[in-house]
């Protein structure tokens, strides 16, 4: 998106033009936190290198990598450059509110970008709702609930090349999340979870590996 065409107030920006003091543990800086200490025995899973942020899962990790940045808006947009280096890699943009206690770990909704598709999922009124999560963990999900959960995700086929930089913009306005890649709208999905009044945390949710750069967060309030 051209600079002059962008809307909203820039509330966070990171171009990762800095160095770490050591190479053993995560040291991202600029307000970022990671789950490496609790989920990967403290092993390094985020590396600032060549002006980018490289995220990679350690072999001892018992959970995907989560790299978090605080934010606060009702309507807003997250932008960044990203590169998938392997066909199994994906970039997850998870929007959360840790103050909201009716869902697991504050999960509200998620955008997942892989080499074959873009997926938007309402987690708040879907699988992360505490009552729904309890039922699913028990293993007996009524047909009615299964049908409801199928309406909480939209997947759109979209091909990306590995080893190539792309720009993504994920914009939420009201109950609608719209995802654009390299300035072209590729997916849009309306669901009530997206209308949650305050999005307070961005999680970069990484199952394998991803490289990101030029992160910008805009408030549209």
């Amino acid at each position: 998106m051209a600079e002059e065409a962008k809307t909203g107030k820039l509330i966070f920006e990171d171009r990762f033009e800095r160095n770490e003091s050591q190479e053993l543990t995560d040291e991202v800086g600029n307000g970022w936190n990671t789950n490496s200490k609790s989920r990967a025995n403290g092993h390094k899973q985020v590396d600032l290198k060549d002006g980018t942020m490289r995220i990679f899962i350690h072999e001892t990790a018992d959970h995907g990598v989560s790299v978090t940045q605080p934010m606060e808006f009702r309507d807003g947009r997250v932008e960044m450059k990203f590169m998938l280096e392997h066909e199994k890699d994906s970039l997850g943009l998870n929007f959360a509110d840790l103050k909201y206690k009716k869902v697991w770990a504050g999960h509200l909704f998620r955008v997942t970008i892989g080499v074959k598709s873009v997926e938007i999922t309402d987690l708040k009124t879907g699988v992360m709702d505490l009552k729904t999560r309890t039922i699913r963990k028990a293993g007996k999900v009524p047909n009615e609930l299964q049908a409801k959960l199928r309406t909480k995700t939209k997947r759109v086929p979209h091909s990306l090349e590995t080893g190539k930089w792309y720009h993504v913009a994920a914009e939420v306005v009201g109950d609608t999340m719209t995802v654009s890649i390299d300035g072209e709208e590729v997916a849009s999905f309306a669901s009530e979870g997206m209308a949650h009044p305050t999005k307070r945390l961005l999680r970069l949710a990484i199952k394998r590996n991803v490289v990101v750069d030029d992160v910008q967060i805009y408030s549209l309030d």
Side-chain angles (χ1 to χ4, degrees):
M1 191 180 297
E3 289 292 336
E4 62 271 15
K6 290 184 179 179
T7 58
K9 177 184 178 182
L10 181 65
I11 59 174
F12 177 78
E13 183 174 27
D14 201 339
R15 300 191 183 279
F16 306 104
E17 298 288 348
R18 57 185 178 275
N19 297 315
E20 300 152 301
S21 66
Q22 45 77 40
E23 292 294 331
L24 297 177
T25 58
D26 296 344
E27 191 180 285
V28 191
N30 203 15
W32 295 98
N33 285 300
T34 80
N35 66 346
S36 297
K37 185 175 181 179
S38 61
R39 292 296 198 171
N41 299 309
H43 291 291
K44 191 176 186 67
Q45 298 188 109
V46 183
D47 191 19
L48 301 185
K49 187 175 181 180
D50 300 327
T52 69
M53 178 166 66
R54 304 184 69 89
I55 306 171
F56 48 92
I57 193 161
H58 192 269
E59 60 183 7
T60 65
D62 63 1
H63 188 280
V65 188
S66 177
V67 186
T68 62
Q69 179 63 228
M71 61 185 184
E72 188 166 330
F73 57 70
R74 175 185 290 268
D75 294 340
R77 183 175 66 254
V78 172
E79 301 186 25
M80 68 189 67
K81 289 164 55 179
F82 72 98
M83 179 167 58
L84 306 177
E85 297 180 299
H86 189 278
E87 61 181 12
K88 292 184 178 181
D89 291 346
S90 62
L91 169 66
L93 306 177
N94 183 298
F95 295 73
D97 179 3
L98 294 178
K99 294 184 178 181
Y100 186 67
K101 301 301 183 182
K102 293 183 179 181
V103 297
W104 181 257
H107 291 288
L108 300 176
F109 50 93
R110 179 183 64 228
V111 173
T112 305
I113 303 169
V115 299
K116 295 182 179 179
S117 66
V118 174
E119 184 177 283
I120 305 173
T121 303
D122 176 354
L123 301 171
K124 177 182 176 181
T125 63
V127 296
M128 290 300 174
D129 171 81
L130 289 182
K131 293 180 180 178
T132 298
R133 189 171 184 271
T134 298
I135 293 171
R136 294 180 76 238
K137 289 192 73 173
K140 297 181 180 180
V141 184
N143 290 338
E144 182 179 349
L145 179 56
Q146 291 183 38
K148 175 187 174 182
L149 292 177
R150 284 194 291 270
T151 71
K152 300 299 178 179
T153 295
K154 181 177 181 179
R155 180 181 294 172
V156 177
H158 185 269
S159 296
L160 298 178
E161 297 178 31
T162 56
K164 180 179 177 180
W165 283 103
Y166 293 93
H167 175 273
V168 60
E171 181 171 289
V172 58
V173 176
D175 68 352
T176 303
M177 165 59 75
T178 302
V179 180
S180 299
I181 296 179
D182 286 350
E184 176 187 355
E185 182 179 319
V186 296
S188 185
F189 183 45
S191 189
E192 58 187 307
M194 268 74 97
H196 183 80
T198 309
K199 293 78 175 174
R200 290 190 167 92
L201 188 70
L202 171 68
R203 291 185 176 110
L204 303 184
I206 311 302
K207 294 181 179 180
R208 283 175 45 91
N209 312 290
V210 74
V211 189
V212 302
D213 199 2
D214 297 349
V215 176
Q216 295 178 314
I217 302 176
Y218 291 85
S219 170
L220 302 178
D221 297 338

